[in-house]
Amino acid sequence: MKRKAVSGLRYVFLTIVSLFSVFPLYWMLIAATNKNADIIRGALLPGLNLVENYKTMLASQRIWPAMRTSFLIALGTTLIALLVCSIAGYGFEIYHSRNKDRLMTVLLMAMMVPFAATMIPLFQMFSSMRMINNIFAVILPTVSTPFLIMMFRQSARSFPHDIIEAARIDGLAEIGIFFRMFFPTMRSTYAAAMTIVFMNAWNNYLWPKIILQTDVLTMPMAVSNMIQGYLTDYGAIMTAVLICTLPTVIVFFVLQRSFAEGITGSVKQ
Amino acid sequence: MDKKKGLTLSGKHNLIGWLFLLPASLMIFWMCFYPIVRGFILSLYSGKTPATMIFVGFRNYARIFNDANFLLTIRNTFIYLIVQVPVMLLLAIILASMLNSKDLKLKGIFRTAIFLPCAVSLVAYSIIFRSLFATDGLINHILISAGIFTENYNWLNNGLTAKIVIIVALLWRWTGYNMIFFLSALQNIDYSIYEAARIDGAGAFSQFTRITAPLLKPMILLTAIMSTNGTLQLFDESFNLTRGGPGKETMTMSHYIYETAFQKSPNLPYASTISYVILIMVAVIAVLQIKVGDKR
């Protein structure tokens, strides 16, 4: 009897937390589809005002160029980060040596460095290279992370050495082993890494805001601009928030499993 | 002869290994370690433009401890840290252990729902919470309809309630994220331990304190370090949810650095000094956490 009550309480608790987690996103949908007056009156059901809100939003911000910039940055970062970090993780594990371990220990310290500590000198470096307003300046500081290197190192640990030996006997070059043996076998690690890097790049706000000063906007910057002005149309603001959120939510639902594996993957033994 | 050939081959492999990790390592040195050195040098100077900068030694560091705004933003950040991180981690552990039990139904739905906020960008959720807690927002509307408030309350215009809104928002965004870490750690614990404990008459609570919590220790340490690091770097929420206000009552350290470096009258050397103090704080806290984590 008591056990049943405890078990029932568990469902109540989980339901409350789940509702709390979903509600702000539900409200985002409500606000994006309702008139401002109805939102203020506390509308809780979807409305029919999405098209109007969308027009108001477009009049306030150039959303689609921002969308394009964000996609370019997110895809560029993902491509370079996966290539550079996976080959490094593979290198650390397969050609293991004591000096490489020492280097890894040094690189891991970068994980502890808050971005606030590097953003000002980075800004100076890129401005002296005349790379302000250049999307490569957004991409470069985020492509190589100890976290990703560790993630690929962990996965290289489970890569059978027999395959490497066999490939060497068949005369495959070392780089060929990486691209033709490791890369196809580790598809799930790449999928996990891809979701993490893509989401982080898409959602990054502070660094693009510093380096893309005026000419180019990313989605989070455009969305943020909507509340900086005089516009107080919640419908239009939430339409922009919705458009900014859709790509990552889609990635989330498509790759939910690999996303979860990805964020915990590098710490699992 | 054979042996010699083997040595050169392994030497060649060793070299190839170095080439493989060269691009990533160079990027980290170029984009992280070198800026730290540069930032330190910059913090020893004074002046608004490169042409007018003069060397002042540690004078910026002396100034920092008399800077009321800096001390306020440190205080704010530590309030977020001390209140939010423990509540979030405890909640995440409780949720993870509930979701890990074998007899739970609808597990997938609960997990997806609680994990979903992770997919939302920090700017987006900051604006959602800003709108929900606005004077004419939904929260006030609900509280008035329920008869709890009689008129609209300006949540973001009071230092305490604005901080509470930020903390609630942070809990919303990050609890599910941490829960996934605990869930993956729990899945590595052999379920038969719990069955044995149950046979020995241990209830749900003592199973949690005697088995789950101790086995999760390494993961608690990891998530605590990550959350601390994240909290000390808070920016998007402060900038978009409350704009640091009222006054600078909710402004975080990163937001203050941004403001000092890039807004109003930009002062890069002084902003760089503040960054350096944060870097040192993060390092000290990380070392302390690792020490505490090792002892227990």
Side-chain angles (χ1 to χ4, degrees), chain A residues 111-116 206, chain B residues 77-78 80-81 84-85 88 122 125 166 170 174 177-178 222-238 252-255 278 282 285-286 289:
Chain A
M111 264 173 119
M112 283 287 141
V113 178
F115 182 68
L206 178 53
Chain B
T77 310
F78 274 84
Y80 300 141
L81 182 69
Q84 190 256 336
V85 173
M88 174 184 70
L122 303 183
Y125 97 86
I166 288 201
L170 286 171
W174 294 106
Y177 179 82
N178 286 285
L222 179 88
T223 49
I225 291 177
M226 287 191 316
S227 313
T228 306
N229 211 343
T231 309
L232 293 179
Q233 300 191 55
L234 284 180
F235 173 81
D236 302 18
E237 293 84 353
S238 171
T252 60
M253 299 187 296
S254 289
H255 188 174
I278 294 184
V282 171
I285 291 171
Q289 278 173 330

Side-chain angles (χ1 to χ4, degrees), chain B residues 177-246:
Chain B
Y177 179 82
N178 286 285
M179 179 192 80
I180 293 295
F181 281 86
F182 291 123
L183 207 51
S184 85
L186 286 174
Q187 275 155 6
N188 290 344
I189 298 175
D190 195 348
Y191 201 75
S192 61
I193 302 177
Y194 291 102
E195 270 153 15
R198 205 169 299 143
I199 291 164
D200 290 346
F205 183 73
S206 61
Q207 279 178 37
F208 181 77
T209 53
R210 299 278 177 82
I211 304 173
T212 311
L215 286 172
L216 281 183
K217 205 193 76 181
M219 203 48 103
I220 294 173
L221 181 67
L222 179 88
T223 49
I225 291 177
M226 287 191 316
S227 313
T228 306
N229 211 343
T231 309
L232 293 179
Q233 300 191 55
L234 284 180
F235 173 81
D236 302 18
E237 293 84 353
S238 171
F239 193 84
N240 288 302
L241 212 167
T242 60
R243 294 183 192 165

Side-chain angles (χ1 to χ4, degrees), chain A:
Chain A
M1 191 62 204
K2 191 185 157 214
R3 251 187 81 77
K4 232 177 199 164
V6 170
S7 171
L9 228 63
R10 202 171 56 177
Y11 284 103
V12 173
F13 185 70
L14 285 171
T15 307
I16 292 171
V17 176
S18 300
L19 288 178
F20 173 70
S21 300
V22 174
F23 183 76
L25 294 173
Y26 173 74
W27 184 78
M28 169 185 79
L29 286 174
I30 299 306
T33 55
N34 271 292
K35 288 195 180 99
N36 196 44
D38 293 330
I39 298 164
I40 292 167
R41 253 180 254 127
L44 283 173
L45 291 171
L48 296 165
N49 208 44
L50 181 63
V51 176
E52 280 305 309
N53 289 338
Y54 176 76
K55 282 179 189 158
T56 319
M57 174 199 79
L58 278 191
S60 155
Q61 288 295 322
R62 296 172 64 223
I63 290 291
W64 295 109
M67 195 78 165
R68 188 176 152 267
T69 308
S70 273
F71 262 110
L72 281 177
I73 290 171
L75 292 177
T77 310
T78 309
L79 223 74
I80 303 174
L82 255 55
L83 182 68
V84 165
C85 293
S86 69
I87 205 163
Y90 178 84
F92 273 115
E93 186 57 34
I94 304 298
Y95 309 100
H96 180 262
S97 75
R98 197 180 288 168
N99 281 333
K100 293 194 187 83
D101 271 352
R102 288 196 184 113
L103 176 65
M104 192 68 225
T105 313
V106 174
L107 295 183
L108 278 175
M109 290 196 311
M111 264 173 119
M112 283 287 141
V113 178
F115 182 68
T118 53
M119 67 187 191
I120 292 162
L122 278 174
F123 170 73
Q124 287 191 313
M125 285 159 62
F126 282 108
S127 66
S128 67
M129 289 187 277
R130 297 179 187 283
M131 282 176 76
I132 303 290
N133 280 326
N134 183 329
I135 67 165
F136 279 101
V138 179
I139 293 175
L140 284 177
T142 53
V143 287
S144 182
T145 56
F147 180 87
L148 266 197
I149 299 174
M150 281 303 282
M151 198 168 146
F152 282 105
R153 191 183 178 169
Q154 293 284 355
S155 73
R157 201 160 282 172
S158 66
F159 187 61
H161 276 249
D162 301 352
I163 295 184
I164 301 173
E165 292 305 327
R168 278 177 188 157
I169 289 163
D170 286 349
L172 204 57
E174 297 297 312
I175 189 93
I177 300 174
F178 172 77
F179 279 111
R180 291 170 67 180
M181 299 289 162
F182 182 78
F183 185 71
T185 6
M186 293 299 162
R187 224 171 263 159
S188 66
T189 313
Y190 278 94
M194 200 180 87
T195 32
I196 305 266
V197 178
F198 183 87
M199 289 227 186
N200 284 343
W202 183 271
N203 292 335
N204 196 2
Y205 175 62
L206 178 53
W207 177 238
K209 189 175 169 59
I210 291 171
I211 206 77
L212 304 177
Q213 295 193 308
T214 45
D215 302 4
V216 198
L217 287 184
T218 65
M219 263 319 269
M221 286 163 78
V223 171
S224 170
N225 279 354
M226 296 211 48
I227 60 157
Q228 310 293 337
Y230 291 101
L231 181 81
T232 45
D233 187 328
Y234 289 120
I237 293 171
M238 285 306 141
T239 306
V241 170
L242 173 66
I243 294 174
C244 175
T245 307
L246 272 180
T248 47
V249 170
I250 291 169
V251 170
F252 174 84
F253 276 111
V254 174
L255 295 162
Q256 194 191 152
R257 172 139 297 185
S258 71
F259 182 45
E261 274 168 16
I263 61 170
T264 56
S266 69
V267 290
K268 242 191 255 173
Q269 289 308 313

